[in-house]
Amino acid sequence: MSRLLSSLQRYQQLKLRKPRLRVEGRITRMIGLTLEAVGIQAAVGDCCQIAISVTQRVEAEVVGFSGDRIYLMPLHPIEGLQPGAKVYPLMDISGVAVGPGLLGRVLNGTGQPIDGLGPIDAEQHVSLAGEIINPLIRDPIKQTLDVGIRAINSVLTVGRGQRMGLFAGSGVGKSVLLGMMTRFTEAEITVVGLIGERGREVKEFIEHSLGPEGMKRSVVIASPADDSPLMRLRAAQLTTRIAEYYRDQGRNVLLLMDSLTRYAQAQREIALAVGEPPATKGYPPSVFAKLPKLVERAGNGKAGGGSVTAFYTVLTEGDDQQDPVADSARAILDGHVVLSRSLAEQGHYPAIDIEASISRAMPQIVEPEHLQMMLRLKQIYSKYRQNEDLIAVGAYVRGSDPDTDFAIEKMPLLKAFLQQGINDAHPLRESVQHLAMALAPTPQPGANSATVAQG
Ligand SMILES: Nc1ncnc2c1ncn2[C@@H]1O[C@H](COP(=O)(O)OP(=O)(O)O)[C@@H](O)[C@H]1O
Ligand SMILES: [Mg+2]
């Protein structure tokens, strides 16, 4: 019976995809990526097909209009388009094929498989937009999530359904850290969106970061930098939609998006192309409206349901934390992990700047003793940083300040505690125990310090 239903759904989908020939229009202008068409009846967000030649049609989306002219943005590169080319509107086709058959697969922004493993065995088609959950019926964040990274587990504890940002300049270790979390996090399903980054990284991520074991419980959506902006936008939405699908089935999902900045940039490209005026640093206002729309879809479902815990990487250009996208992301996320270039240059990985990072859900989800230890670590760390120059030149006199004395004594141990090898997982409980050992007032010169340093 369910097979019959699914076939029927597929048939309906095919039928819907058929162009409605009666209201075709034609292309009158093409500037950069934007196409202008007249004579066609379509609403913003609708999809159309553009006839490039007798055999070739390219899909495009309506992104705006002015009078009776409609602006379209193609999903794929267009070559050889002629003036007067025909445009056929399609009915709502932004459906996404979902089902257990998605696990282990790699898709592009339109949901088509790109791994050469044949068509996706889909159970149902759902709309790309997803259902908005009333914030009042969402389950609050109340359970911790073990991400396997010691510095995060102990100092920036993440809760199920929390949405975190990973802020850093380029080459500081965002992708590597995401890869580690993919392998170590205790999530049932991982949905990874590789949006607008280098194409080479897609293969690397699948082969090295995920590996065959990780891939079995993951879905990867890849839309590298050379995809059209619309495709990159769709890929980010598809990533979120697939995560929502698994959450609605009661699963605990880990959603990783690399990167949110590229998503914002894709929206910027589209908005500027259809004539929206730029506001902050070339970003038009619609970008800042789209960001929360995407991010708010992650999080917990209704009480007793599944969860989507999300990590979004945010590129801070020139290590500028005031970048408008970074600023906006920081305001809408439930916490941020900041990676520091200076730590990375010292070979301190993961290069997490614990002073600048925060997990907003942590106070509600950890034991009071754990919270106290986290605060103590931050205090000691910042004490050391304030006096670092004096200490380095030997101008600090021991005994002037007990906290600074303690910081000097503990610093090597704490630095070792905050570092971690690419292939070492540190579970939550162990991370908290190590934190307690690192902060213990009278360290045993042998056993305790050795455990932490080795880990
Ligand atoms: N945990 C780590 N251990 C060792 N080297 C690392 C680690 N994280 C990052 N690196 C180094 O930094 C480089 C850039 O990391 P990557 O994650 O690609 O940066 P980003 O995604 O921020 O641009 C890597 O190729 C690697 O050499
Ligand atoms: Mg990267």
Side-chain angles (χ1 to χ4, degrees):
M1 184 64 184
S2 74
R3 281 185 84 124
L4 184 69
L5 269 178
S6 129
S7 310
L8 197 65
Q9 268 175 342
R10 265 183 238 181
Y11 167 73
Q12 274 175 340
Q13 203 67 27
L14 284 174
K15 216 170 68 165
L16 291 182
R17 289 185 76 93
K18 254 184 154 176
R20 288 179 292 168
L21 292 169
R22 281 169 291 136
V23 277
E24 67 183 44
R26 57 194 174 78
I27 298 285
T28 51
R29 207 153 100 121
M30 175 175 186
I31 310 166
L33 287 171
T34 328
L35 306 170
E36 265 180 43
V38 291
I40 178 179
Q41 274 181 5
V44 173
D46 277 359
C47 279
C48 301
Q49 274 183 348
I50 300 165
I52 307 283
S53 66
V54 184
T55 50
Q56 196 197 356
R57 285 186 177 188
V58 169
E59 212 166 278
E61 189 179 304
V62 180
V63 287
F65 60 84
S66 166
D68 46 13
R69 276 172 304 157
I70 292 223
Y71 300 127
L72 295 156
M73 190 69 77
L75 266 174
H76 304 280
I78 285 196
E79 266 166 37
L81 182 70
Q82 291 186 350
K86 293 245 166 82
V87 189
Y88 308 105
L90 301 171
M91 288 178 75
D92 174 41
I93 60 115
S94 51
V96 182
V98 286
L102 276 176
L103 287 180
R105 303 301 303 265
V106 186
L107 317 174
N108 70 9
T110 56
Q112 300 302 314
I114 52 169
D115 49 10
L117 299 176
I120 305 274
D121 182 17
E123 203 171 51
Q124 61 181 115
H125 282 86
V126 294
S127 115
L128 188 62
E131 181 199 347
I132 296 167
I133 303 182
N134 177 344
L136 295 180
I137 59 168
R138 268 183 196 266
D139 219 14
I141 304 171
K142 51 188 188 219
Q143 237 182 321
T144 55
L145 181 81
D146 184 352
V147 296
I149 311 292
R150 186 160 54 189
I152 297 183
N153 276 344
S154 59
V155 190
L156 303 160
T157 316
V158 176
R160 271 205 187 137
Q162 193 170 350
R163 299 146 320 153
M164 294 284 280
L166 201 56
F167 290 68
S170 58
V172 184
K174 294 183 296 298
S175 302
V176 172
L177 186 57
L178 276 194
M180 288 166 72
M181 286 197 282
T182 330
R183 277 175 288 137
F184 306 152
T185 301
E186 43 146 17
E188 293 170 73
I189 286 167
T190 311
V191 184
V192 186
L194 301 172
I195 317 292
E197 296 287 320
R198 289 172 294 271
R200 173 183 62 81
E201 282 188 320
V202 175
K203 197 161 191 285
E204 267 181 23
F205 193 87
I206 291 165
E207 284 177 5
H208 298 121
S209 302
L210 280 172
E213 271 308 303
M215 196 62 209
K216 272 190 205 156
R217 56 180 178 103
S218 306
V219 187
V220 178
I221 295 90
S223 185
D226 57 346
D227 267 2
S228 73
L230 193 61
M231 194 74 148
R232 280 177 267 148
L233 222 53
R234 283 261 188 108
Q237 286 160 356
L238 181 64
T239 309
T240 312
R241 188 66 190 94
I242 292 177
E244 282 174 335
Y245 164 73
Y246 284 114
R247 175 191 65 196
D248 293 344
Q249 297 200 323
R251 316 292 281 269
N252 290 307
V253 182
L254 176 69
L255 183 155
L256 303 172
M257 197 174 288
D258 192 8
S259 73
L260 192 64
T261 305
R262 302 290 182 215
Y263 171 78
Q265 287 172 351
Q267 175 59 25
R268 171 170 70 180
E269 272 180 59
I270 294 174
L272 291 179
V274 295
E276 197 185 334
T280 358
K281 276 209 181 170
Y283 286 100
S286 67
V287 172
F288 303 103
K290 278 243 173 184
L291 280 178
K293 275 208 174 120
L294 185 78
V295 167
E296 276 297 324
R297 287 170 62 180
N300 283 329
K302 296 164 191 163
S307 65
V308 176
T309 311
F311 277 87
Y312 299 93
T313 67
V314 179
L315 194 68
T316 46
E317 277 175 44
D319 292 330
D320 170 15
Q321 299 289 336
Q322 304 310 318
D323 175 84
V325 174
D327 236 10
S328 165
R330 202 174 298 118
I332 55 179
L333 293 166
D334 311 316
H336 43 272
V337 177
V338 178
L339 301 186
S340 134
R341 189 173 294 279
S342 103
L343 284 175
E345 280 165 359
Q346 292 166 33
H348 177 119
Y349 285 113
I352 299 171
D353 180 347
I354 59 159
E355 280 178 293
S357 309
I358 188 162
S359 161
R360 289 185 179 166
M362 187 173 173
Q364 289 104 54
I365 53 173
V366 301
E367 300 291 324
E369 303 82 54
H370 181 175
L371 200 64
Q372 281 307 317
M373 285 196 287
M374 179 278 281
L375 292 173
R376 181 78 181 130
L377 174 71
K378 281 201 165 187
Q379 282 159 4
I380 294 177
Y381 203 86
S382 77
K383 251 300 184 275
Y384 185 85
R385 298 261 297 164
Q386 281 163 19
N387 296 300
E388 205 167 15
D389 295 341
L390 287 180
I391 298 165
V393 296
Y396 174 78
V397 183
R398 278 194 186 239
S400 325
D401 174 38
D403 268 359
T404 310
D405 289 345
F406 187 63
I408 295 172
E409 182 190 318
K410 288 290 178 183
M411 213 25 120
L413 204 58
L414 291 177
K415 285 215 162 204
F417 168 76
L418 293 170
Q419 293 176 48
Q420 177 171 345
I422 288 185
N423 295 314
D424 310 328
H426 290 286
L428 187 73
R429 272 176 68 100
E430 182 208 286
S431 304
V432 180
Q433 280 165 2
H434 282 184
L435 176 62
M437 284 196 278
L439 288 174
T442 45
Q444 301 290 317
N448 284 358
S449 51
T451 326
V452 173
Q454 273 166 16

